[in-house]
Amino acid sequence: MEEQKKLENILYRLQAQESCRNLIGKLCYLQATHESRKIIDLWSEREDTKLVVFGHIYNGAEGIKNYYLKDFGDREILNDSLKGQLILSEYDTEVIEVAENLKTAKASFLSQGHETFVDEQGCGRAVWSWNKIGADFIFENGIWKIWHIRWYALMRGAFGESFASNDINIGFSSDFKYCTDRVDEWKYTPESLYPENEPEIPQKYKSYGEE
């Protein structure tokens, strides 16, 4: 009986990891097509949900909606203004740890991609975009949901140019006007040291808040 419980626990953890991995994969695909209403469905509706996008903070279920529907944009709402945008990022190199109580999970990812947008002259402009992601997931009502996400801008650079000589803020598709707060982000300079724990690599833990 004890051995069966251990095997069941391993199975539940593997299933949880796969569910979390699929959530991030769906997020990647839906961001590319600006199907933001579907993205919102991937998130928990708890009031302690939190999204941090390159230093811009969105708190609670309402904050998540404000970012995806107003700042990032939904293809059914802002169709014309989204023309010419192509945002495609891959998420990989994941580390996912599921809590011992099987109620939450922590994860970190690397993300590399490209973003194309239309500048003030109406011309398409493309940038490389490399980021890091820290995420928390929560199991509620029998389904895994995204709980917290923080994107860290690692490097950005125009095609054909060195990222080291580019402003890391170039080419963002949003002006983040509906964010509720800001936090400073690390930026590359010839004098900077790559930071530790951005995001922190998940370690085994019992329950959220009880590491």
Side-chain angles (χ1 to χ4, degrees):
M1 184 64 70
E2 189 64 28
E3 186 65 23
Q4 180 178 341
K5 288 183 178 180
K6 288 182 180 180
L7 291 174
E8 287 177 350
N9 183 269
I10 292 172
L11 177 60
Y12 291 150
R13 291 167 68 84
L14 289 173
Q15 289 175 330
Q17 288 177 324
E18 189 65 15
S19 294
C20 296
R21 193 177 290 113
N22 283 342
L23 280 170
I24 291 296
K26 290 176 182 178
L27 177 65
C28 174
Y29 284 111
L30 294 172
Q31 284 183 157
T33 56
H34 278 85
E35 294 180 85
S36 293
R37 294 182 184 276
K38 293 181 181 179
I39 292 177
I40 292 171
D41 290 338
L42 304 178
W43 280 79
S44 167
E45 294 185 356
R46 291 166 56 108
E47 285 309 309
D48 59 352
T49 56
K50 186 174 185 177
L51 171 65
V52 183
V53 187
F54 310 133
H56 302 81
I57 300 173
Y58 299 80
N59 287 307
E62 194 63 29
I64 304 302
K65 292 177 182 178
N66 281 338
Y67 173 70
Y68 283 111
L69 297 180
K70 297 178 180 179
D71 280 346
F72 183 73
D74 179 85
R75 67 185 299 122
E76 295 183 3
I77 300 174
L78 301 173
N79 183 271
D80 288 339
S81 64
L82 296 178
K83 290 179 179 178
Q85 287 193 27
L86 178 59
I87 300 174
L88 184 60
S89 299
E90 298 178 355
Y91 300 78
D92 57 32
T93 324
E94 71 272 14
V95 178
I96 303 175
E97 287 288 349
V98 181
E100 288 183 17
N101 65 5
L102 305 176
K103 293 181 179 180
T104 63
K106 298 182 178 184
S108 60
F109 301 84
L110 292 180
S111 168
Q112 55 280 328
H114 57 80
E115 300 180 13
T116 307
F117 60 98
V118 179
D119 64 19
E120 294 179 354
Q121 286 72 44
C123 299
R125 186 179 178 191
V127 298
W128 295 113
S129 177
W130 285 66
N131 311 298
K132 300 177 293 181
I133 296 103
D136 296 322
F137 304 89
I138 189 164
F139 192 66
E140 56 182 30
N141 301 320
I143 302 174
W144 283 95
K145 293 281 191 175
I146 299 171
W147 189 12
H148 310 122
I149 284 184
R150 180 169 178 179
W151 267 276
Y152 301 86
L154 181 56
M155 60 186 187
R156 296 172 71 84
F159 278 35
E161 299 179 15
S162 168
F163 78 88
S165 61
N166 273 269
D167 180 357
I168 202 168
N169 293 309
I170 65 170
F172 283 134
S173 59
S174 171
D175 56 11
F176 306 106
K177 66 180 181 180
Y178 287 94
C179 75
T180 55
D181 205 352
R182 294 283 305 274
V183 61
D184 290 336
E185 291 272 280
W186 176 83
K187 297 179 182 179
Y188 172 82
T189 70
E191 294 79 30
S192 62
L193 179 65
Y194 187 80
E196 295 180 305
N197 300 326
E198 286 193 2
E200 183 176 354
I201 299 173
Q203 306 295 323
K204 292 183 178 180
Y205 68 107
K206 294 182 178 180
S207 63
Y208 197 87
E210 186 182 348
E211 284 71 22

